[in-house]
Amino acid sequence: MAFLNMYSIPPEHWHSAQEPSGLIDLDALNPAQQEAVTATEGPLLVLAGAGTGKTRVLTARIAYILQQNLAFPNQILSVTFTNKAAREMRLRIESMVGDQASSLWLGTFHSICLKILRRHADILGYPKDFTILDSDDQIRLIKQIMQEKGLDIKQTPPKLVADIISRWKDKALTPDKIDTRQDQQFSAIYVTYQQRLKQLGVMDFGDLILLCITLFSKHPDILAEYHRRFKYMLVDEYQDTNIAQYLWLRLLATHSHNICCVGDDDQSIYGWRGAEIGNILKFEHDFEGARIIRLEENYRSTPDILSAASSVIANNEGRLGKTLYSNIPAGEKVKLVSLWDDKAEARYIADEIESLQQIKQLSLEEIAILVRAGYQTRAFEECFINRGIPYRIIGGLRFYERMEIRDAIAYIRATWQESNDLALERIINLPKRGIGGKTIESIRNYARNNSISMMSAIKKMLEEKSFKPSLDKVFNTMVENFSHWKKLFDEQNHDQVVDTILTQSGYIDMWKADKSPEAQGRVENLKELITALGEFENIEQFLEHVSLISDGDETPNGDMVSVMTMHAAKGLEFEAVFLGGWEEGLFPSQRSLDESGTKGLEEERRLAYVAMTRAKKYLTICFVASRYSFGQTLSCIPSRFIDELPEKHIQRHNNQGPGYGQTPQKSLIFSQNKPAARHRKGSFSKGGFAEDGATKQSAAGFRLHQRIFHQKFGYGKIISINGKQLHIAFEKGSTRTLMDDYVENT
């Protein structure tokens, strides 16, 4: 046992020394975990596969260092990414070492840097009691600077500039390190922005790490102080560190070299927000004499689930490599299910959830649905609401509660119901039209005094020349637009009209121009709203549906199915997991492939691995033959990741019914499609084919107006034809577009 040398520690730390509360039980750990806990000296990378007990190792390692008297609590620095993870670690350590845990330097990167800057900010020219700017104030300050410089904030939104500056800070780029030849305009704003922050005595979130790096780099005496202070460093989720976090850690670790990083390169899924997988891949190169210990025994998933996930991730080239195994008794194989469309997918999963409840006795909170894109949740939400299955959206809002959906519905209501003042007020200046609060108040007062709607008040005030000339033009255009859109409901399908409203109002273009990370998701959600509209007979039925959801569907308490994106599921586990939408273009994401090529594909594959390893006993992967999206039916190709699943660990189910292949082996959906294949767009919309493009006979000989039969939808009449595609009005009330292979003569 090593003994503590009191004279090697500054006197201010002596008060923290306490008697250890007992030896940690190393026998409770497997051999690899024991090695990771007891290998205290020198740089160490613990490569912890999914479900292998990394948090247990981290907390046990800290307890072991304390119980072996290798350091005082405040000589240990432990950093992680979330406050939740930090709280969990502290509670676990407290259970092992008692009050000593309170003196640890344990927290997120930002909280630790904040603690350091509170002590030394004055050296950098900031007050020690500096405040931290929130995102709204940050954007407001950038807007002021841009206006001072005579820049057009409509052409270059301040939020875009704020995001660019944040990305620079994540890369530890101070204003003097920006290539002004390439980013002259943005770099000039960055320079002024940092100057203004200093003048105001404030920092933004990105400054906490960036200025800490500046402090250590320019003041070696202060860095030396923290070298003496921290004898041991531990880092959680090392694969998720960005460049700034990496440089900060390197500066602190150059003295003792006792840095232990725990992570999994196969679970690096945050490249889109700055995470650098290269940080973990080059650990041995960065820290001379580094050891790598692999945690490979998985305590979460059954062997079939684990083998299927391992088979998929093995196709990535940029990885350190490990072989996970499980001693959990064998369970069910991974279900691979082909379905007709996204509605059938939602119904199938709802059926399976009810079966898991009744037959397997699982509670709803033990079940999760993971999707690649946020807009996919709508089909499940609609189905669960109809079936009375309680659910929660993790890491986001329910579909109809999302800001962009509420905005779009407000546009619909303001068009359809001219007297709906609340809807009009919500979107009257969205996108920005230069309509201020005082103008809105004047309209509201005029309407109230004359007992008319706000839209009627605007018309009257235009007649009376109550607005200044610039607003006169704005309101004339608005009145003309709403009048035009209202007439369109009598001439076109309601989903097409709403598409027109969102386009001509500039609302959807506003989000397309927005460069924030969430903007693309908002655009996808708006497209999904158009799809949702097409499922209703008319606009009144849709608005009634939304009202019933909003008024009567309060979020239930207690036992609920968890619905979330794959990204939001990281760190969670469930008895049963359903993965929907495994089709090319959706997963892997076409956007990721287009923007990042092979690098993007490998991150998508890591996302698949993370999603699969959330399941403990039951894993079901679903994909569909077609998805209806934004007025088009997409014929879907199974995800390339499906071809990477090992046959001996999966069980295939073809739930498309007769007519689409009698057996899974003969079904098109189970054919070996090449990865290069993509969604194929049909040349039709919800309203049917254009008459001038229609033919009178399909490839299989079906004729216009012919009566047909479909195994799933029943009897119907063909109302338009395009090659092999039939647009059919079914007698049960629905209208569908199907391939002629899947219908029969009556």
Side-chain angles (χ1 to χ4, degrees):
M1 178 183 294
F3 292 93
L4 194 64
N5 180 356
M6 294 293 289
Y7 297 100
S8 67
I9 301 170
E12 66 264 27
H13 301 316
W14 290 0
H15 70 279
S16 299
Q18 298 183 25
E19 289 297 319
S21 59
L23 293 175
I24 187 171
D25 184 9
L26 293 176
D27 292 336
L29 306 175
N30 67 39
Q33 290 174 332
Q34 288 181 23
E35 186 181 4
V37 167
T38 59
T40 57
E41 306 308 303
L44 172 67
L45 175 62
V46 179
L47 203 59
T52 57
K54 73 173 180 64
T55 304
R56 188 180 192 186
V57 166
L58 269 172
T59 53
R61 182 179 172 89
I62 292 172
Y64 181 82
I65 290 170
L66 292 173
Q67 292 173 348
Q68 294 298 307
N69 287 335
L70 300 177
F72 285 97
N74 51 15
Q75 286 187 300
I76 299 174
L77 171 67
S78 180
V79 289
T80 187
F81 277 83
T82 66
N83 290 312
K84 179 183 176 183
R87 284 193 299 270
E88 181 184 346
M89 285 182 62
R90 192 177 293 277
L91 287 172
R92 289 200 192 189
I93 296 166
E94 280 179 357
S95 70
M96 291 185 277
V97 301
D99 292 342
Q100 293 184 85
S102 63
S103 300
L104 295 167
W105 282 64
L106 192 160
T108 64
F109 281 92
H110 291 92
S111 67
I112 297 294
C113 287
L114 175 60
K115 188 174 180 179
I116 293 171
L117 289 171
R118 286 287 182 219
R119 298 182 176 191
H120 308 287
D122 55 330
I123 296 173
L124 298 175
Y126 293 82
K128 288 186 177 180
D129 62 347
F130 63 86
T131 56
I132 301 172
L133 211 63
D134 64 27
S135 57
D136 287 343
D137 287 338
Q138 180 187 19
I139 293 169
R140 193 174 296 112
L141 178 57
I142 290 172
K143 180 180 178 181
Q144 290 175 8
I145 293 169
M146 292 178 68
Q147 289 173 334
E148 290 169 9
K149 292 181 179 292
L151 299 172
D152 186 347
I153 61 172
K154 291 183 178 179
Q155 183 178 354
T156 308
K159 193 174 188 306
L160 168 62
V161 180
D163 290 338
I164 290 171
I165 290 174
S166 294
R167 287 198 293 270
W168 280 337
K169 291 185 177 184
D170 287 342
K171 295 178 181 179
L173 295 173
T174 49
D176 58 297
K177 294 178 182 176
I178 305 299
D179 185 350
T180 55
R181 294 169 299 177
Q182 186 175 354
D183 298 291
Q184 185 174 3
Q185 179 178 296
F186 292 146
S187 63
I189 298 171
Y190 188 15
V191 169
T192 308
Y193 173 69
Q194 290 303 107
Q195 291 171 347
R196 198 68 55 83
L197 288 179
K198 200 167 188 177
Q199 291 167 4
L200 294 169
V202 300
M203 298 181 190
D204 66 20
F205 203 60
D207 281 328
L208 297 178
I209 297 178
L210 179 65
L211 291 178
C212 214
I213 293 172
T214 302
L215 177 71
F216 290 158
S217 300
K218 293 187 175 181
H219 300 276
D221 55 323
I222 294 177
L223 178 60
E225 176 187 333
Y226 287 95
H227 282 164
R228 292 191 299 271
R229 180 183 295 271
F230 299 135
K231 191 173 180 181
Y232 292 97
M233 295 174 58
L234 298 93
V235 186
D236 191 15
E237 303 285 12
Y238 189 59
Q239 77 281 349
D240 292 334
T241 52
N242 59 34
I243 292 174
Q245 291 159 342
Y246 164 79
L247 292 174
W248 182 78
L249 289 167
R250 284 292 306 274
L251 284 166
L252 285 172
T254 53
H255 181 65
S256 74
H257 299 290
N258 290 336
I259 182 169
C260 171
C261 295
V262 180
D264 183 5
D265 56 319
D266 289 336
Q267 296 188 71
S268 179
I269 59 173
Y270 297 120
W272 50 276
R273 69 181 189 195
E276 276 289 335
I277 190 174
N279 294 347
I280 193 170
L281 296 178
K282 63 181 181 179
F283 186 86
E284 286 181 290
H285 177 268
D286 287 338
F287 298 97
E288 187 177 350
R291 297 175 59 187
I292 295 182
I293 296 175
R294 288 171 167 80
L295 303 185
E296 297 178 313
E297 182 174 359
N298 177 283
Y299 294 93
R300 178 188 298 154
S301 305
T302 62
D304 283 308
I305 293 172
L306 198 59
S307 296
S310 297
S311 179
V312 171
I313 198 62
N315 288 276
N316 271 6
E317 294 181 4
R319 59 192 298 258
L320 294 170
K322 57 189 172 301
T323 304
L324 296 190
Y325 64 93
S326 173
N327 289 318
I328 296 172
E332 294 184 5
K333 291 186 176 183
V334 176
K335 284 185 180 179
L336 183 60
V337 185
S338 67
L339 295 141
W340 179 256
D341 58 17
D342 47 347
K343 284 187 177 180
E345 180 181 60
R347 287 195 298 269
Y348 170 80
I349 290 177
D351 289 342
E352 288 292 293
I353 287 171
E354 291 176 342
S355 177
L356 285 169
Q357 276 187 292
Q358 296 164 10
I359 299 173
K360 305 294 185 182
Q361 300 299 302
L362 291 190
S363 63
L364 292 179
E365 65 183 2
E366 295 175 303
I367 303 169
I369 299 171
L370 311 184
V371 296
R372 176 61 181 90
Y375 72 83
Q376 288 176 259
T377 67
R378 187 194 63 83
F380 297 110
E381 291 186 62
E382 298 275 11
C383 182
F384 290 173
I385 289 168
N386 290 334
R387 298 276 283 268
I389 299 175
Y391 71 95
R392 62 165 65 87
I393 302 294
I394 304 295
L397 297 169
R398 293 183 172 211
F399 185 79
Y400 289 107
E401 293 172 355
R402 293 166 186 170
M403 177 183 69
E404 63 277 10
I405 301 303
R406 287 183 178 273
D407 289 345
I409 291 171
Y411 262 110
I412 297 170
R413 291 190 190 281
T415 303
W416 185 252
Q417 305 160 333
E418 185 176 300
S419 61
N420 196 320
D421 291 350
L422 290 176
L424 180 62
E425 277 201 59
R426 182 181 179 99
I427 50 83
I428 194 169
N429 197 39
L430 197 66
K432 299 292 184 184
R433 301 183 176 94
I435 304 172
K438 289 183 178 179
T439 302
I440 295 172
E441 182 64 26
S442 69
I443 297 169
R444 192 186 298 121
N445 289 336
Y446 189 102
R448 190 182 300 117
N449 292 336
N450 291 277
S451 300
I452 57 177
S453 70
M454 286 182 66
M455 180 58 77
S456 296
I458 291 171
K459 293 175 183 177
K460 290 281 189 182
M461 292 171 77
L462 282 170
E463 292 174 3
E464 297 170 6
K465 303 294 183 182
S466 300
F467 301 117
K468 55 187 178 182
S470 59
L471 284 178
D472 214 55
K473 182 178 179 182
V474 167
F475 283 121
N476 267 311
T477 301
M478 180 182 293
V479 169
E480 289 171 5
N481 279 341
F482 277 106
S483 176
H484 171 64
W485 298 333
K486 181 68 179 289
K487 290 177 183 176
L488 285 181
F489 278 116
D490 296 326
E491 303 168 4
Q492 299 178 8
N493 289 336
H494 53 280
D495 53 344
Q496 295 172 339
V497 177
V498 174
D499 183 9
T500 299
I501 292 171
L502 296 180
T503 301
Q504 291 184 355
S505 67
Y507 185 77
I508 199 162
D509 285 339
M510 178 187 79
W511 287 117
K512 286 180 178 178
D514 191 306
K515 302 302 180 185
S516 63
E518 65 271 15
Q520 178 64 27
R522 296 192 193 280
V523 173
E524 290 172 349
N525 289 337
L526 290 168
K527 291 181 179 180
E528 183 64 18
L529 177 66
I530 305 297
T531 300
L533 280 154
E535 297 169 5
F536 295 87
E537 292 297 323
N538 50 52
I539 200 66
E540 298 105 311
Q541 191 182 85
F542 169 76
L543 290 174
E544 183 179 285
H545 172 74
V546 172
S547 296
L548 290 173
I549 290 176
S550 301
D551 295 339
D553 186 45
E554 295 296 325
T555 302
N557 295 317
D559 199 21
M560 290 179 279
V561 176
S562 295
V563 184
M564 70 194 84
T565 64
M566 295 175 182
H567 283 99
K570 185 146 185 301
L572 304 178
E573 58 182 42
F574 302 89
E575 292 292 313
V577 171
F578 294 90
L579 306 178
W582 277 45
E583 300 118 34
E584 282 293 313
L586 180 52
F587 188 53
S589 160
Q590 190 61 47
R591 186 182 179 202
S592 294
L593 301 184
D594 292 342
E595 291 180 355
S596 305
T598 301
K599 184 178 179 182
L601 173 61
E602 295 214 337
E603 180 153 322
E604 290 287 295
R605 190 177 279 115
R606 292 194 292 271
L607 192 55
Y609 172 79
V610 167
M612 295 173 73
T613 54
R614 300 310 96 193
K616 296 167 75 173
K617 288 184 179 178
Y618 310 103
L619 176 62
T620 302
I621 298 172
C622 299
F623 56 103
V624 302
S626 64
R627 283 188 185 272
Y628 185 75
S629 179
F630 207 24
Q632 293 180 319
T633 296
L634 305 179
S635 297
C636 303
I637 302 297
S639 168
R640 68 190 72 192
F641 300 150
I642 288 173
D643 290 338
E644 298 170 359
L645 294 168
E647 287 294 332
K648 65 179 180 180
H649 295 294
I650 63 173
Q651 186 177 50
R652 295 177 181 264
H653 297 261
N654 180 19
N655 282 52
Q656 295 186 21
Y660 200 84
Q662 300 296 323
T663 64
Q665 290 75 25
K666 293 181 181 179
S667 171
L668 171 64
I669 205 71
F670 278 121
S671 65
Q672 296 298 309
N673 294 291
K674 300 299 180 184
R678 295 290 180 267
H679 282 37
R680 295 186 296 270
K681 292 185 178 180
S683 56
F684 49 89
S685 68
K686 186 265 173 192
F689 303 98
E691 285 301 317
D692 57 0
T695 54
K696 294 192 176 181
Q697 184 167 308
S698 77
F702 289 97
R703 300 178 310 280
L704 199 61
H705 307 306
Q706 181 179 342
R707 193 166 185 260
I708 55 84
F709 175 76
H710 185 271
Q711 291 281 348
K712 181 177 180 181
F713 304 118
Y715 292 96
K717 185 168 71 172
I718 300 170
I719 56 178
S720 61
I721 301 172
N722 190 344
K724 291 176 65 66
Q725 297 167 332
L726 310 177
H727 196 54
I728 304 166
F730 286 97
E731 293 175 2
K732 292 182 179 179
S734 66
T735 303
R736 305 272 176 172
T737 300
L738 306 174
M739 304 298 286
D740 62 5
D741 294 337
Y742 316 137
V743 300
E744 305 170 15
N745 284 308
T746 58

